Amino acid sequence: MNSRTSTIFKLAVMAGVLAFPAFGSDFYAEMVAKVLILAIFAMSLDLLVGFTGLVSFGHAAYFGIAAYAVALMTPKYDPANLWLALPASILAAAAAAFVIGLFVLRTKGIYFIMVTLAFAQMAYYVFHDTPLGGGSDGIYLNFKPDATIAGWVPFDLNEPHHLYYFVVAAMLAVYGLLKLVLRSPFGRVLVGIRSNEHRMLSLGYATFRYKLAAFTLAGGLAGFAGFLYAVLFGFVTPEYLSWHKSGDVLLMVILGGMGNLAGAIAGAAALVGLQEIFTGMTKHWQLLMGLTIVAAVLFMPGGMAATPARIMARINGGKTNE
Amino acid sequence: MSEVLLAAEGMTRRFGGLLANRDVNIQLERGVLHALLGPNGAGKSTCINMLSGDLPPSEGTIRYKGEDITALTSYQRSKIGIGRSYQRTNIFPKFTVLENCRLAAQSRKPRPWSLLTNALRMPEAVERARAAIAEAGLSGREDRVAGTMSHGEQRQLEIAMVLATDAEVLLLDEPLAGMGSEESAQMVTLLNRLKATRAILLVEHDMDAVFAVADRITVMVNGQVLESGSPEQIRNSPDVQAAYLGHEAEHE
C-alpha cells in the first residue's frame, strides 16, 4: 500500500469511528471505545517492543496502576476532578515505570522479559485481595471524573457520547504524540537502539537513559489507557494488572505488526473483534483464539500492517508472470 | 613534536587466569598513523577494546589530551572525540547510508528533548553526515540501504560513521578485512588523507597495506608489546622477524 492509499484508508476508518455513535447502538459504541483505549495501550507498548526492541511482558502493570489511581482518587459519593485525576494517574504510572525501568533495563533479552513480568506480578499483588485494592472484587467508580473548569462544563463524561469522543480525542492525541516522538531525534535514537545498541553506545549515545525515557513514556501512556478504561467501565479489578492483560496487549502489537502505530491500532481492533465473535460462537472460544493467532503468525509475518504490501506484491508478481 | 592525543600506560587486562594484555604502552599522535600488528591471539582486539572503552582495563591508565579517562565508558569516550570502527561490520543494516551517518552525527548535538524537530532534517547532522560520506568515498550511495551494499562499501560506511562523529582519534579495527585489492587501495588512500588532521590506530593483518600507510608500528605477541618503531625499524628487527614476519622476510 503506498502512502497515499494508506492515508486515505486511515482517514476513512477515522470518519467511520467519528460517525459511529450516530448509527451504531450504545453497546457497540462502547466496544469501539474499548478498542480505541486498548489501541492507546498497544501503541504505548509498541514504542518499546516495535521501536526500541524492548519486549516488555509486564506492561499491564502501568495500565492497572493508573486505573487504580483514578479509582482511589474518586471519593465515594462525589466525582473526582478530571483535570487533577487524569494527570495524576498518568504520572503515577509513569513514575512506576521509571522506578521499575531503573532495574529492568539493566537486563537484556529473555531476562528483560522475565523481570518485567516479575515486577508486574508484584504490582498485581499490591492490589489483589488487599484493603488498598478493594479486595478481590476491585473498586467501583461510582462517579466518572468531572470536567468542570471554574464553573464551566466543557463536556460531561457521564454522557456516553461525550465519553466516546473524549476517548477518540485521546487516541488521536496519543497517535500524534508518538508520531512526533518517532520523527524526533529522540525517536531516531530509539530505532537505532533496536537495530544495534552496541554501535549506538560507541557512537556516543547514553543508551540506558534513552531506554529509561522510552520506558517511562510508554508507562505513562499505558496509564492514560488504564485511566480511560476505568472511567469507561466504571470499575477496576486486579485483573487489569494481570499477566493475561500483558500478554493480550503484546498479542495486539504482534498481530498488528511490530514497529507500526497504525498496526497496533489494527491489532487492538482485531483482538477485541475476534474475542467478540468467538465468545458468541462457543464456550471454548480461547481455543479458536489460539488457533487464529497461530495461523496469523504463520501466514501473516509482519502482522496486519505488512499484509496490504504482501497482497500487492502477490498481485503484481502474478501480473509479471502472465 | 606532534601532539599526543591518546596514551595508554601499563595497560593490562586479565580474563580469569589469562593475561590478554600485559603492561601495554601505546601513544597516538595527531598526524600519525600508528599500526598495531600481531598474530591471532596477540591481544590486538583486547587492546583496541580497552582504548575505546568497550572493555575496562584491569590495570593501567589511559589518557586523552593529558586527562585520565580510564574510568570513562565507550559512549563517554565517543563524546570527547575517540571514535572506533569494528572488525565485524557493525552498522545499521536496514537504514540508508545517509541515515547511518546522520544518526552518528546527531550524537554530537543529540537534542533529545526537542520533540518538534524532524530528525531527518536536522541541518547540521545531515551536513556532517554528507561530508563524512563524501570523505569516505561513498558519494552517490546516500540513499542505498546499508545492508544491501557490497562488503567493501559497508567497510567504508563503517569509517564514514566514525568520521560523522567528528572524532579526533580513530581506532580502526581491521578496516581492510575481506576487501578486494581495488577497494583496499581506495581505503589506503583514504587513511592517508584522514591522518593529516587526526590520530589513527590501525589494527590490521594486511602487511602490504600496513607498510604502505603506517608511520609507526607496534608489534604485539602474547599480549605484550614486542617492538614499537618506524616501519623500517620493524622490518629490520630480528625479534619481529622471528616472531611474526618470518615468511615474508624470507621472500624479500
Side-chain angles (χ1 to χ4, degrees):
Chain A
M1 190 155 29
N2 64 41
S3 69
R4 197 160 149 223
T5 34
S6 153
T7 309
I8 292 172
F9 179 73
K10 283 175 197 163
L11 288 176
V13 171
M14 207 51 242
V17 167
L18 285 172
F20 194 84
F23 304 103
S25 70
D26 281 353
F27 172 76
Y28 283 108
E30 189 179 82
M31 205 168 92
V32 174
K34 179 181 168 186
V35 166
L36 295 175
I37 292 169
L38 292 177
I40 294 176
F41 191 22
M43 284 191 288
S44 76
L45 180 63
D46 201 17
L47 179 69
L48 298 180
V49 176
F51 292 100
T52 318
L54 295 168
V55 182
S56 169
F57 195 27
H59 210 48
Y62 316 106
F63 181 89
I65 284 170
Y68 268 95
V70 58
L72 294 171
M73 271 185 281
T74 304
K76 201 157 187 188
Y77 303 109
D78 284 304
N81 181 336
L82 174 70
W83 310 113
L84 288 178
L86 176 58
S89 309
I90 292 175
L91 274 179
F98 178 83
V99 173
I100 292 174
L102 283 174
F103 295 97
V104 297
L105 290 168
R106 291 173 202 281
T107 65
K108 289 209 159 63
I110 187 82
Y111 301 102
F112 182 78
I113 299 176
M114 292 302 298
V115 289
T116 48
L117 173 62
F119 272 103
Q121 287 298 93
M122 282 163 62
Y124 173 81
Y125 283 106
V126 169
F127 296 106
H128 179 76
D129 234 346
T130 60
L132 176 70
S136 56
D137 296 337
I139 305 173
Y140 279 94
L141 209 70
N142 294 322
F143 298 92
K144 297 193 196 299
D146 179 14
T148 310
I149 312 168
W152 174 58
V153 186
F155 52 83
D156 179 1
L157 294 181
N158 291 302
E159 290 285 328
H161 283 195
H162 288 198
L163 179 55
Y164 180 87
Y165 286 111
F166 186 71
V167 168
V168 173
M171 206 283 294
L172 287 176
V174 170
Y175 179 78
L177 173 72
L178 286 176
K179 277 281 182 195
L180 274 184
V181 166
L182 291 168
R183 196 190 67 150
S184 76
F186 172 71
R188 298 305 302 172
V189 173
L190 297 187
V191 177
I193 290 173
R194 178 190 62 181
S195 175
N196 190 343
E197 181 173 0
H198 177 225
R199 189 59 193 251
M200 290 302 280
L201 276 169
S202 86
L203 288 176
Y205 289 103
T207 58
F208 181 81
R209 288 180 212 162
Y210 281 90
K211 290 192 291 183
L212 186 58
F215 201 76
T216 307
L217 175 62
L221 294 177
F224 193 7
F227 171 90
L228 294 170
Y229 206 81
V231 169
L232 179 68
F233 292 107
F235 66 89
V236 294
T237 86
E239 291 313 304
Y240 286 9
L241 296 92
S242 71
W243 65 272
H244 298 103
K245 202 93 184 160
S246 293
D248 277 350
V249 67
L250 201 51
L251 271 180
M252 291 173 199
V253 171
I254 294 167
L255 269 183
M258 288 177 277
N260 187 312
L261 293 179
I265 300 171
L271 206 74
V272 173
L274 287 175
Q275 241 166 31
E276 191 61 29
I277 295 168
F278 292 154
T279 44
M281 282 163 63
T282 158
K283 241 167 48 184
H284 308 289
W285 63 275
Q286 291 192 316
L287 210 61
L288 287 175
M289 194 64 150
L291 283 174
T292 313
I293 286 157
V294 170
V297 170
L298 279 179
F299 301 114
M300 296 194 332
M304 296 163 72
T307 302
R310 285 165 55 82
I311 293 171
M312 288 311 286
R314 183 70 61 87
I315 293 169
N316 290 338
K319 265 182 198 158
T320 47
N321 283 344
E322 277 165 25
Chain B
M1 277 308 288
S2 47
E3 179 195 359
V4 176
L5 292 181
L6 192 64
E9 282 162 39
M11 197 166 65
T12 297
R13 174 71 203 196
R14 290 185 202 87
F15 292 107
L18 177 81
L19 255 175
N21 264 209
R22 182 169 161 193
D23 196 24
V24 172
N25 297 307
I26 200 162
Q27 280 200 348
L28 304 179
E29 296 156 33
R30 197 191 294 280
V32 174
L33 194 149
H34 194 138
L36 186 57
L37 277 180
N40 280 329
K44 304 186 298 289
S45 294
T46 305
C47 177
I48 197 172
N49 282 339
M50 286 194 284
L51 293 177
S52 68
D54 284 88
L55 195 67
S58 312
E59 281 165 36
T61 317
I62 303 167
R63 290 177 196 284
Y64 178 68
K65 295 182 177 172
E67 277 187 48
D68 188 342
I69 60 157
T70 317
L72 297 193
T73 63
S74 61
Y75 82 82
Q76 289 167 326
R77 289 189 205 190
S78 164
K79 282 200 160 156
I80 57 175
I82 303 171
R84 85 165 280 184
S85 75
Y86 287 84
Q87 181 184 358
R88 297 234 319 264
T89 305
N90 197 355
I91 55 176
F92 304 101
K94 288 185 177 164
F95 296 177
T96 63
V97 169
L98 181 61
E99 181 57 6
N100 267 275
C101 294
R102 197 205 59 75
L103 198 54
Q106 183 189 308
S107 68
R108 298 306 104 175
K109 270 195 179 175
R111 299 173 59 198
W113 302 112
S114 73
L115 284 190
L116 296 179
T117 305
N118 180 347
L120 301 185
R121 301 220 177 96
M122 293 168 91
E124 256 180 85
V126 173
E127 210 171 289
R128 191 174 287 156
R130 287 191 186 278
I133 290 169
E135 202 168 11
L138 282 171
S139 291
R141 297 274 195 283
E142 285 86 349
D143 297 326
R144 281 287 295 276
V145 174
T148 66
M149 295 198 302
S150 75
H151 176 76
E153 287 174 322
Q154 292 189 16
R155 302 300 301 169
Q156 280 172 288
L157 174 58
E158 183 80 36
I159 308 273
M161 288 164 71
V162 184
L163 297 179
T165 64
D166 259 359
E168 288 191 84
V169 173
L170 305 181
L171 307 171
L172 307 179
D173 199 352
E174 301 204 21
L176 302 172
M179 276 195 167
S181 58
E182 197 180 320
E183 291 170 327
S184 264
Q186 273 178 9
M187 185 65 85
V188 167
T189 318
L190 172 63
L191 293 176
N192 268 321
R193 192 148 29 94
L194 292 178
K195 78 177 181 192
T197 53
R198 301 170 176 93
I200 301 182
L201 178 73
L202 177 71
V203 175
E204 193 47 70
H205 265 129
D206 184 336
M207 208 62 73
D208 295 331
V210 166
F211 281 101
V213 294
D215 303 301
R216 208 181 154 81
I217 297 175
T218 294
V219 180
M220 284 184 79
V221 173
N222 293 328
Q224 280 177 286
V225 172
L226 182 70
E227 183 118 27
S228 187
S230 69
E232 212 44 44
Q233 232 174 311
I234 296 299
R235 204 190 288 273
N236 298 324
S237 154
D239 284 348
V240 173
Q241 280 176 13
Y244 188 58
L245 294 176
H247 288 292
E248 301 217 358
E250 277 165 31
H251 285 306
E252 277 174 40

